[in-house]
Coordinates of all heavy atoms in Angstrom, one line a residue:
N1 N -8.9 -6.0 -12.5 CA -7.6 -5.3 -12.6 C -7.0 -5.1 -11.2 O -7.7 -4.8 -10.3 CB -7.8 -3.9 -13.1 CG -8.3 -3.9 -14.6 OD1 -8.0 -4.7 -15.3 ND2 -9.0 -2.8 -15.0
T2 N -5.8 -5.4 -11.1 CA -5.0 -5.3 -9.9 C -3.9 -4.4 -10.1 O -3.0 -4.6 -11.0 CB -4.5 -6.7 -9.4 OG1 -5.7 -7.5 -9.1 CG2 -3.7 -6.5 -8.1
W3 N -3.6 -3.4 -9.3 CA -2.6 -2.5 -9.4 C -1.5 -2.9 -8.4 O -1.8 -3.2 -7.2 CB -2.9 -1.0 -9.1 CG -1.8 -0.1 -9.3 CD1 -1.5 0.5 -10.5 CD2 -0.9 0.4 -8.3 NE1 -0.4 1.3 -10.4 CE2 0.0 1.2 -9.0 CE3 -0.7 0.1 -7.0 CZ2 1.0 1.9 -8.3 CZ3 0.3 0.8 -6.3 CH2 1.1 1.7 -7.0
I4 N -0.3 -3.1 -8.9 CA 0.8 -3.5 -8.0 C 1.8 -2.3 -7.9 O 2.2 -1.7 -8.9 CB 1.5 -4.8 -8.6 CG1 0.5 -5.9 -8.6 CG2 2.7 -5.0 -7.8 CD1 1.1 -7.2 -9.1
G5 N 2.2 -2.0 -6.7 CA 3.1 -0.9 -6.4 C 4.4 -1.1 -7.1 O 4.8 -2.2 -7.4
Q6 N 5.2 -0.1 -7.2 CA 6.5 -0.1 -7.8 C 7.4 -0.9 -7.0 O 7.5 -0.7 -5.9 CB 7.0 1.3 -8.1 CG 8.4 1.3 -8.7 CD 9.0 2.7 -8.8 OE1 8.3 3.7 -8.4 NE2 10.1 2.9 -9.3
L7 N 8.1 -1.8 -7.7 CA 9.1 -2.7 -6.9 C 10.5 -2.1 -7.2 O 10.8 -1.9 -8.3 CB 9.0 -4.1 -7.5 CG 10.1 -5.1 -7.0 CD1 10.0 -5.3 -5.5 CD2 10.0 -6.4 -7.7
I8 N 11.1 -1.8 -6.1 CA 12.5 -1.3 -6.2 C 13.4 -2.4 -5.8 O 13.4 -2.9 -4.6 CB 12.7 -0.1 -5.2 CG1 11.7 1.1 -5.7 CG2 14.1 0.5 -5.3 CD1 11.6 2.2 -4.8
S9 N 14.2 -3.0 -6.7 CA 15.0 -4.1 -6.4 C 16.4 -3.7 -6.0 O 17.2 -3.2 -6.9 CB 15.1 -5.0 -7.7 OG 13.9 -5.4 -8.0
P10 N 16.8 -3.9 -4.8 CA 18.1 -3.6 -4.3 C 19.0 -4.7 -4.9 O 18.6 -5.8 -5.3 CB 18.1 -3.7 -2.8 CG 16.9 -4.6 -2.5 CD 16.0 -4.4 -3.6
E11 N 20.3 -4.4 -5.0 CA 21.3 -5.3 -5.6 C 21.3 -6.6 -4.7 O 21.5 -7.7 -5.2 CB 22.7 -4.7 -5.6 CG 22.8 -3.7 -6.7 CD 24.2 -3.1 -6.8 OE1 25.2 -3.7 -6.3 OE2 24.3 -2.0 -7.3
D12 N 21.2 -6.4 -3.4 CA 21.1 -7.6 -2.5 C 19.6 -7.9 -2.2 O 19.0 -7.2 -1.4 CB 21.9 -7.2 -1.2 CG 21.9 -8.3 -0.2 OD1 21.2 -9.4 -0.5 OD2 22.5 -8.2 0.9
M13 N 19.1 -9.0 -2.8 CA 17.7 -9.3 -2.6 C 17.4 -9.8 -1.2 O 16.2 -10.2 -0.9 CB 17.3 -10.3 -3.7 CG 17.1 -9.6 -5.1 SD 16.0 -8.2 -5.1 CE 14.4 -8.9 -4.8
T14 N 18.4 -10.0 -0.4 CA 18.0 -10.4 1.0 C 17.5 -9.2 1.8 O 17.0 -9.3 2.9 CB 19.2 -10.9 1.7 OG1 20.3 -10.0 1.8 CG2 19.7 -12.2 1.0
L15 N 17.7 -7.9 1.3 CA 17.1 -6.8 2.0 C 15.7 -6.6 1.8 O 15.1 -7.1 0.8 CB 17.8 -5.5 1.3 CG 19.3 -5.4 1.5 CD1 19.8 -4.1 0.8 CD2 19.7 -5.3 3.0
P16 N 15.0 -6.1 2.8 CA 13.5 -5.9 2.7 C 13.1 -5.0 1.5 O 13.8 -4.1 1.3 CB 13.1 -5.3 4.0 CG 14.3 -5.6 4.9 CD 15.5 -5.7 4.1
V17 N 12.1 -5.4 0.8 CA 11.6 -4.6 -0.3 C 10.1 -4.4 -0.1 O 9.3 -5.4 0.1 CB 11.8 -5.3 -1.7 CG1 11.2 -4.5 -2.8 CG2 13.3 -5.6 -1.9
A18 N 9.7 -3.2 0.0 CA 8.2 -2.9 0.2 C 7.5 -2.9 -1.2 O 7.9 -2.3 -2.1 CB 8.0 -1.5 0.9
E19 N 6.4 -3.6 -1.2 CA 5.6 -3.7 -2.4 C 4.1 -4.0 -2.0 O 3.9 -4.6 -0.9 CB 6.1 -4.9 -3.3 CG 5.4 -4.9 -4.6 CD 6.0 -6.0 -5.5 OE1 6.7 -6.8 -5.1 OE2 5.5 -6.0 -6.7
F20 N 3.1 -3.5 -2.7 CA 1.8 -3.8 -2.4 C 0.9 -3.7 -3.6 O 1.4 -3.4 -4.7 CB 1.3 -2.7 -1.4 CG 1.3 -1.3 -2.0 CD1 0.4 -0.7 -2.7 CD2 2.4 -0.5 -1.7 CE1 0.4 0.5 -3.2 CE2 2.5 0.8 -2.2 CZ 1.5 1.3 -3.0
K21 N -0.3 -4.2 -3.5 CA -1.3 -4.2 -4.5 C -2.6 -3.5 -4.0 O -2.8 -3.6 -2.8 CB -1.5 -5.6 -5.1 CG -2.4 -6.5 -4.2 CD -2.7 -7.7 -4.9 CE -3.5 -8.7 -4.1 NZ -3.8 -9.9 -4.7
A22 N -3.3 -3.1 -4.9 CA -4.7 -2.4 -4.6 C -5.8 -3.1 -5.5 O -5.5 -3.4 -6.6 CB -4.7 -0.9 -4.9
W23 N -6.9 -3.4 -4.9 CA -7.9 -4.0 -5.7 C -9.3 -3.4 -5.2 O -9.6 -3.4 -3.9 CB -8.0 -5.5 -5.5 CG -9.0 -6.1 -6.4 CD1 -8.7 -6.5 -7.7 CD2 -10.3 -6.4 -6.2 NE1 -9.9 -7.0 -8.2 CE2 -10.9 -6.9 -7.3 CE3 -11.1 -6.2 -5.0 CZ2 -12.2 -7.3 -7.4 CZ3 -12.4 -6.6 -5.1 CH2 -13.0 -7.2 -6.3
P24 N -10.2 -3.0 -6.0 CA -10.0 -2.8 -7.5 C -9.1 -1.6 -7.7 O -8.9 -0.7 -6.8 CB -11.3 -2.6 -8.0 CG -12.1 -2.0 -6.9 CD -11.5 -2.5 -5.6
S25 N -8.4 -1.5 -8.9 CA -7.6 -0.4 -9.2 C -8.3 0.8 -9.8 O -7.8 1.9 -9.8 CB -6.5 -0.8 -10.2 OG -7.0 -1.3 -11.4
S26 N -9.5 0.6 -10.2 CA -10.3 1.6 -10.9 C -11.8 1.4 -10.3 O -12.3 0.3 -10.4 CB -10.2 1.6 -12.4 OG -11.1 2.6 -12.9
T27 N -12.4 2.5 -9.8 CA -13.7 2.3 -9.2 C -14.5 3.6 -9.1 O -14.0 4.6 -9.6 CB -13.5 1.7 -7.7 OG1 -14.8 1.3 -7.3 CG2 -12.8 2.7 -6.8
Q28 N -15.6 3.5 -8.6 CA -16.5 4.8 -8.5 C -16.0 5.5 -7.3 O -15.5 5.0 -6.3 CB -17.9 4.4 -8.4 CG -18.5 3.6 -9.6 CD -18.5 4.4 -10.8 OE1 -18.9 5.6 -10.8 NE2 -18.2 3.8 -12.0
V29 N -16.4 6.8 -7.3 CA -16.2 7.7 -6.1 C -16.8 7.1 -4.9 O -18.0 6.5 -5.0 CB -16.7 9.1 -6.4 CG1 -16.8 9.9 -5.1 CG2 -16.0 9.8 -7.4
D30 N -16.1 7.1 -3.7 CA -16.5 6.6 -2.5 C -16.6 5.1 -2.4 O -17.1 4.5 -1.4 CB -17.9 7.2 -2.0 CG -17.7 8.7 -1.7 OD1 -16.7 9.1 -1.3 OD2 -18.7 9.4 -2.0
S31 N -16.2 4.4 -3.4 CA -16.1 2.9 -3.3 C -14.9 2.5 -2.4 O -14.0 3.3 -2.4 CB -16.0 2.3 -4.7 OG -17.2 2.5 -5.4
L32 N -14.9 1.3 -1.9 CA -13.8 0.8 -1.1 C -12.7 0.1 -1.9 O -13.0 -0.6 -2.9 CB -14.3 -0.2 -0.1 CG -15.3 0.5 0.9 CD1 -15.8 -0.6 1.9 CD2 -14.7 1.6 1.7
I33 N -11.5 0.5 -1.6 CA -10.3 -0.1 -2.3 C -9.5 -0.8 -1.2 O -9.2 -0.2 -0.1 CB -9.5 0.9 -3.0 CG1 -10.3 1.7 -4.0 CG2 -8.2 0.3 -3.6 CD1 -9.6 2.9 -4.5
T34 N -9.1 -2.1 -1.4 CA -8.4 -2.9 -0.4 C -6.9 -2.9 -0.8 O -6.7 -3.2 -2.0 CB -9.0 -4.2 -0.2 OG1 -10.4 -4.1 0.2 CG2 -8.2 -5.0 0.8
F35 N -6.1 -2.6 0.1 CA -4.6 -2.7 -0.2 C -4.0 -3.9 0.6 O -4.3 -4.2 1.7 CB -3.9 -1.4 0.2 CG -4.2 -0.2 -0.6 CD1 -5.4 0.5 -0.4 CD2 -3.4 0.1 -1.6 CE1 -5.7 1.5 -1.2 CE2 -3.7 1.2 -2.4 CZ -4.8 1.9 -2.3
T36 N -3.1 -4.6 -0.1 CA -2.4 -5.8 0.4 C -1.0 -5.6 0.3 O -0.4 -5.3 -0.7 CB -2.9 -7.0 -0.4 OG1 -4.3 -7.1 -0.3 CG2 -2.3 -8.3 0.3
N37 N -0.3 -5.9 1.4 CA 1.2 -5.9 1.5 C 1.8 -7.1 0.8 O 1.4 -8.3 1.2 CB 1.6 -5.8 2.9 CG 3.1 -5.7 3.1 OD1 3.9 -5.7 2.2 ND2 3.5 -5.6 4.5
L38 N 2.6 -6.9 -0.2 CA 3.3 -8.0 -0.8 C 4.8 -8.0 -0.6 O 5.6 -8.5 -1.4 CB 3.0 -7.9 -2.4 CG 1.6 -7.9 -2.9 CD1 1.6 -7.7 -4.4 CD2 1.0 -9.3 -2.5
S39 N 5.2 -7.3 0.4 CA 6.7 -7.2 0.7 C 7.3 -8.5 0.9 O 6.7 -9.5 1.2 CB 6.8 -6.3 1.9 OG 6.2 -5.0 1.8
N40 N 8.6 -8.5 0.7 CA 9.3 -9.8 0.8 C 9.7 -10.3 2.1 O 10.3 -11.3 2.3 CB 10.6 -9.8 -0.2 CG 11.6 -8.9 0.3 OD1 11.4 -8.0 1.2 ND2 12.9 -8.9 -0.2
V41 N 9.3 -9.5 3.2 CA 9.5 -10.0 4.5 C 8.2 -9.7 5.3 O 7.4 -8.8 4.9 CB 10.6 -9.2 5.3 CG1 11.9 -9.6 4.6 CG2 10.4 -7.7 5.3
V42 N 8.0 -10.3 6.4 CA 6.8 -10.0 7.3 C 7.2 -8.9 8.2 O 8.1 -9.2 9.0 CB 6.3 -11.3 8.1 CG1 5.3 -10.9 9.0 CG2 6.0 -12.4 7.1
P43 N 6.6 -7.8 8.1 CA 7.1 -6.6 8.9 C 6.6 -6.7 10.3 O 5.6 -7.4 10.6 CB 6.4 -5.4 8.2 CG 5.2 -6.0 7.6 CD 5.6 -7.4 7.2
D44 N 7.3 -6.0 11.3 CA 6.9 -6.0 12.7 C 5.6 -5.1 12.8 O 4.8 -5.4 13.6 CB 8.0 -5.4 13.5 CG 9.2 -6.3 13.5 OD1 9.1 -7.5 13.5 OD2 10.4 -5.8 13.5
S45 N 5.6 -4.0 12.0 CA 4.4 -3.2 11.9 C 4.4 -2.4 10.6 O 5.5 -2.4 9.9 CB 4.4 -2.2 13.1 OG 5.5 -1.3 13.0
V46 N 3.3 -1.9 10.2 CA 3.2 -1.1 9.0 C 2.4 0.2 9.2 O 1.7 0.3 10.2 CB 2.4 -1.9 7.9 CG1 3.1 -3.2 7.4 CG2 1.0 -2.2 8.3
M47 N 2.7 1.1 8.3 CA 1.9 2.4 8.3 C 1.6 2.7 6.8 O 2.6 2.7 6.0 CB 2.7 3.5 9.0 CG 1.9 4.8 8.9 SD 2.7 6.2 9.9 CE 4.2 6.5 9.0
W48 N 0.4 2.9 6.5 CA -0.1 3.2 5.2 C -0.4 4.7 5.2 O -1.1 5.2 6.1 CB -1.3 2.4 4.8 CG -1.1 0.9 4.7 CD1 -1.1 0.1 5.7 CD2 -0.8 0.2 3.5 NE1 -0.9 -1.2 5.2 CE2 -0.7 -1.2 4.0 CE3 -0.7 0.5 2.2 CZ2 -0.5 -2.2 3.0 CZ3 -0.4 -0.5 1.3 CH2 -0.3 -1.8 1.7
L49 N 0.0 5.4 4.1 CA -0.4 6.9 4.0 C -1.3 6.9 2.7 O -0.8 6.5 1.6 CB 0.9 7.7 3.9 CG 1.8 7.6 5.1 CD1 3.1 8.4 4.8 CD2 1.2 8.0 6.3
F50 N -2.5 7.5 2.8 CA -3.4 7.7 1.7 C -3.8 9.1 1.7 O -4.9 9.5 2.0 CB -4.6 6.8 2.0 CG -4.4 5.3 2.1 CD1 -4.5 4.7 3.4 CD2 -4.0 4.5 1.1 CE1 -4.3 3.4 3.7 CE2 -3.8 3.2 1.3 CZ -3.9 2.7 2.5
P51 N -2.9 10.0 1.2 CA -3.3 11.4 1.1 C -4.5 11.6 0.1 O -4.6 11.1 -0.9 CB -2.1 12.1 0.5 CG -0.9 11.2 0.7 CD -1.5 9.8 0.7
G52 N -5.5 12.3 0.8 CA -6.8 12.5 0.0 C -7.8 11.4 0.2 O -9.0 11.5 -0.3
G53 N -7.4 10.4 0.9 CA -8.2 9.3 1.2 C -8.9 9.3 2.5 O -8.6 10.1 3.4
S54 N -9.8 8.3 2.7 CA -10.4 8.2 4.1 C -10.4 6.7 4.5 O -11.0 5.9 3.8 CB -11.9 8.6 4.0 OG -12.4 8.5 5.3
P55 N -9.5 6.3 5.4 CA -8.7 7.2 6.2 C -7.4 7.7 5.5 O -7.1 7.1 4.5 CB -8.3 6.3 7.4 CG -8.2 5.0 6.8 CD -9.3 4.9 5.8
E56 N -6.8 8.7 6.0 CA -5.5 9.1 5.4 C -4.3 8.3 5.9 O -3.3 8.3 5.3 CB -5.3 10.7 5.6 CG -6.2 11.5 4.8 CD -5.7 12.9 4.6 OE1 -4.8 13.3 5.3 OE2 -6.4 13.6 3.8
V57 N -4.4 7.8 7.1 CA -3.3 6.9 7.7 C -4.0 5.6 8.2 O -5.1 5.7 8.8 CB -2.7 7.7 8.8 CG1 -1.6 6.8 9.5 CG2 -2.0 8.9 8.4
S58 N -3.3 4.5 8.0 CA -3.8 3.3 8.6 C -2.6 2.4 9.1 O -1.5 2.5 8.4 CB -4.6 2.5 7.5 OG -5.0 1.2 8.1
Y59 N -2.9 1.8 10.1 CA -1.9 0.8 10.7 C -2.3 -0.7 10.5 O -1.7 -1.5 11.1 CB -1.6 1.1 12.2 CG -1.0 2.5 12.4 CD1 -1.9 3.6 12.7 CD2 0.3 2.8 12.1 CE1 -1.4 4.8 12.9 CE2 0.8 4.1 12.3 CZ 0.0 5.1 12.7 OH 0.5 6.4 12.8
D60 N -3.4 -0.9 9.8 CA -3.9 -2.2 9.5 C -3.0 -2.9 8.5 O -2.4 -2.3 7.7 CB -5.3 -2.1 8.9 CG -6.3 -1.6 9.9 OD1 -6.1 -1.6 11.1 OD2 -7.4 -1.1 9.5
S61 N -2.9 -4.2 8.6 CA -2.1 -5.0 7.7 C -2.7 -5.0 6.3 O -2.1 -5.1 5.3 CB -1.9 -6.4 8.3 OG -3.1 -7.1 8.5
I62 N -4.1 -5.0 6.3 CA -4.8 -5.0 5.0 C -5.8 -3.9 5.1 O -7.0 -4.2 5.4 CB -5.5 -6.4 4.7 CG1 -4.4 -7.5 4.7 CG2 -6.2 -6.3 3.4 CD1 -4.9 -8.9 4.4
P63 N -5.5 -2.7 4.8 CA -6.4 -1.6 5.0 C -7.4 -1.4 3.8 O -7.1 -1.9 2.7 CB -5.4 -0.3 5.1 CG -4.3 -0.7 4.3 CD -4.1 -2.3 4.5
T64 N -8.5 -0.8 4.1 CA -9.5 -0.4 3.1 C -9.7 1.1 3.1 O -9.7 1.7 4.2 CB -10.8 -1.1 3.4 OG1 -10.6 -2.5 3.4 CG2 -11.8 -0.8 2.4
V65 N -9.7 1.7 2.0 CA -9.7 3.2 1.8 C -10.7 3.6 0.7 O -11.0 2.8 -0.1 CB -8.3 3.8 1.6 CG1 -7.8 3.3 0.3 CG2 -8.3 5.3 1.7
S66 N -11.2 4.8 0.9 CA -12.1 5.3 -0.2 C -11.6 6.8 -0.5 O -11.0 7.4 0.3 CB -13.5 5.3 0.2 OG -13.8 6.2 1.4
Y67 N -12.0 7.2 -1.7 CA -11.6 8.5 -2.2 C -12.9 9.2 -2.6 O -13.7 8.6 -3.3 CB -10.7 8.4 -3.3 CG -9.3 7.9 -2.8 CD1 -9.0 6.6 -3.0 CD2 -8.3 8.7 -2.3 CE1 -7.8 6.1 -2.6 CE2 -7.2 8.3 -1.9 CZ -6.9 7.0 -2.0 OH -5.6 6.4 -1.6
S68 N -13.1 10.4 -2.2 CA -14.4 11.1 -2.4 C -14.3 11.9 -3.8 O -15.4 12.4 -4.2 CB -14.6 12.2 -1.4 OG -13.7 13.1 -1.2
N69 N -13.2 11.9 -4.5 CA -13.1 12.5 -5.8 C -12.4 11.6 -6.7 O -11.5 10.8 -6.4 CB -12.4 13.8 -5.7 CG -13.1 14.9 -4.9 OD1 -14.2 15.2 -5.2 ND2 -12.4 15.4 -3.9
N70 N -12.7 11.6 -8.0 CA -12.0 10.9 -9.1 C -10.6 11.4 -9.2 O -10.3 12.6 -8.9 CB -12.7 11.0 -10.4 CG -13.9 10.3 -10.5 OD1 -14.1 9.2 -9.9 ND2 -14.9 10.8 -11.2
G71 N -9.6 10.6 -9.6 CA -8.3 11.0 -9.8 C -7.2 10.0 -9.5 O -7.6 8.8 -9.2
N72 N -6.0 10.3 -9.6 CA -4.9 9.4 -9.3 C -4.4 9.9 -7.9 O -4.2 11.1 -7.7 CB -3.8 9.5 -10.4 CG -4.2 9.1 -11.7 OD1 -4.8 8.0 -11.8 ND2 -3.9 9.8 -12.8
Y73 N -4.1 8.9 -7.1 CA -3.6 9.3 -5.8 C -2.3 8.5 -5.5 O -2.1 7.4 -5.8 CB -4.7 8.8 -4.8 CG -5.9 9.7 -4.9 CD1 -7.0 9.3 -5.7 CD2 -6.0 10.8 -4.1 CE1 -8.1 10.1 -5.8 CE2 -7.2 11.6 -4.2 CZ -8.2 11.2 -5.1 OH -9.4 12.0 -5.2
D74 N -1.5 9.2 -4.7 CA -0.2 8.5 -4.2 C -0.6 7.7 -3.0 O -1.4 8.2 -2.1 CB 0.8 9.5 -3.8 CG 1.4 10.3 -4.9 OD1 1.5 9.7 -6.1 OD2 1.8 11.4 -4.8
V75 N 0.0 6.6 -2.8 CA -0.1 5.7 -1.6 C 1.3 5.3 -1.2 O 2.1 5.0 -2.0 CB -0.9 4.5 -2.0 CG1 -0.9 3.5 -0.8 CG2 -2.4 4.8 -2.3
K76 N 1.5 5.4 0.1 CA 2.8 5.0 0.6 C 2.7 3.9 1.6 O 1.8 3.9 2.6 CB 3.6 6.1 1.2 CG 4.0 7.2 0.2 CD 4.9 8.2 0.9 CE 5.3 9.3 -0.2 NZ 6.0 10.4 0.4
L77 N 3.5 2.9 1.5 CA 3.5 1.8 2.5 C 4.9 1.9 3.2 O 6.0 1.9 2.6 CB 3.5 0.5 1.9 CG 3.9 -0.7 2.7 CD1 3.0 -0.8 4.1 CD2 3.7 -2.0 2.0
I78 N 4.8 2.2 4.5 CA 6.1 2.2 5.3 C 6.0 1.0 6.3 O 5.0 0.8 7.0 CB 6.2 3.5 6.1 CG1 6.2 4.7 5.2 CG2 7.4 3.5 7.0 CD1 6.0 6.0 5.9
Y79 N 7.0 0.2 6.2 CA 7.0 -0.9 7.2 C 8.2 -1.0 8.0 O 9.3 -0.5 7.6 CB 6.7 -2.3 6.5 CG 7.7 -2.8 5.6 CD1 8.7 -3.7 6.1 CD2 7.8 -2.5 4.3 CE1 9.6 -4.3 5.2 CE2 8.7 -3.1 3.4 CZ 9.6 -4.0 3.9 OH 10.5 -4.5 3.1
Y80 N 8.1 -1.5 9.2 CA 9.1 -1.5 10.2 C 9.5 -3.0 10.4 O 8.6 -3.8 10.6 CB 8.7 -0.9 11.5 CG 8.2 0.5 11.4 CD1 6.9 0.8 11.1 CD2 9.2 1.5 11.3 CE1 6.5 2.1 10.9 CE2 8.8 2.8 11.1 CZ 7.4 3.1 10.9 OH 7.1 4.4 10.7
Y81 N 10.8 -3.3 10.2 CA 11.3 -4.6 10.2 C 12.6 -4.7 11.0 O 13.5 -4.0 10.6 CB 11.5 -5.2 8.8 CG 12.1 -6.5 8.7 CD1 11.4 -7.7 9.2 CD2 13.4 -6.6 8.2 CE1 12.0 -8.9 9.1 CE2 13.9 -7.9 8.1 CZ 13.3 -9.0 8.5 OH 13.9 -10.2 8.4
D82 N 12.7 -5.4 12.0 CA 13.9 -5.6 12.8 C 14.5 -6.9 12.7 O 14.9 -7.6 13.7 CB 13.6 -5.2 14.3 CG 14.8 -5.0 15.1 OD1 15.9 -4.6 14.6 OD2 14.8 -5.2 16.3
G83 N 14.7 -7.4 11.4 CA 15.1 -8.6 11.1 C 16.6 -8.7 11.0 O 17.4 -9.5 11.0

């Protein structure tokens, strides 16, 4: 199972669109989950926010995170692009 982040399509598809996937999407407590940036541009830099995860913030292009409790968690990908 692969979870793909919500795609928000602007009217002008030449604008950058942030999108990502997580694998695996369902796992045991404290297992590692890898996130991959699927955005339509190559960003200058990225910041991932994983509230409740470890780590809670990552600047890696392909971060790995774990969660110590079962549940659903919000993940945010913020990327900086000066194109």
Side-chain angles (χ1 to χ4, degrees):
N1 293 332
T2 299
W3 184 84
I4 297 181
Q6 178 182 5
L7 173 63
I8 301 172
S9 299
E11 290 181 23
D12 181 356
M13 287 305 293
T14 61
L15 297 175
V17 176
E19 185 176 12
F20 60 87
K21 71 176 181 178
W23 188 87
S25 61
S26 178
T27 187
Q28 300 293 322
V29 169
D30 293 328
S31 294
L32 298 177
I33 302 168
T34 300
F35 289 82
T36 304
N37 181 358
L38 299 176
S39 303
N40 67 344
V41 296
V42 176
D44 297 322
S45 63
V46 296
M47 180 171 66
W48 296 84
L49 303 175
F50 304 107
S54 178
E56 287 199 352
V57 176
S58 176
Y59 298 95
D60 294 341
S61 58
I62 302 175
T64 300
V65 65
S66 65
Y67 295 93
S68 59
N69 295 303
N70 289 326
N72 294 316
Y73 293 91
D74 291 330
V75 173
K76 291 184 181 178
L77 166 59
I78 300 169
Y79 69 92
Y80 302 94
Y81 173 69
D82 191 25

